[in-house]
Amino acid sequence: QVQLVESGGGLVQAGGSLRLSCAASGRTFSRYDMGWFRQAPESEREFVAAISRSGSSTYYADSVKGRFTISRDNAKNMVYLQMNSLKPEDTAVYYCAARSSSYGYALANKYEYWGQGTQVTVSS
């Protein structure tokens, strides 16, 4: 069982930066691949970024590649999403998720555990 709590969301102007954090409970955190997803109003939840359990592999949606960076600290049970050059279209609720499977990193239904989400709003 893994419990996830996101933080770090807020209101930022276009071009600005935010760093999201996700704190995970449990001693088995390093056994899970982790991902970030987002959901804008009246839109489906979409994949943003993922990282393997060791941190050696990362994956990004084309829309955020080069602007966002996912990282993790297994000693602290933390996952981060550094978001730079933010755009109004990045506005959404951002969710942290954990996946025990080693495949399907971009598929929300492959993730067993989810946080409650944190709101990110980018003004133009």
Side-chain angles (χ1 to χ4, degrees), residues 29-57:
F29 174 69
S30 61
R31 297 180 186 178
Y32 292 87
D33 291 353
M34 300 297 295
W36 286 96
F37 288 75
R38 66 187 181 187
Q39 188 166 17
E42 302 182 0
S43 297
E44 293 188 356
R45 192 166 297 190
E46 66 172 357
F47 168 74
V48 175
I51 188 166
S52 62
R53 54 207 67 189
S54 69
S56 61
S57 298

Side-chain angles (χ1 to χ4, degrees), residues 92-105:
V93 176
Y94 283 71
Y95 297 90
C96 173
R99 184 181 88 251
S100 60
S101 169
S102 58
Y103 65 95
Y105 63 83

Side-chain angles (χ1 to χ4, degrees), residues 74-87:
N74 285 346
K76 297 181 178 179
N77 282 13
M78 296 291 294
V79 179
Y80 306 99
L81 185 68
Q82 178 66 43
M83 306 187 295
N84 298 328
S85 302
L86 283 161
K87 305 175 181 179

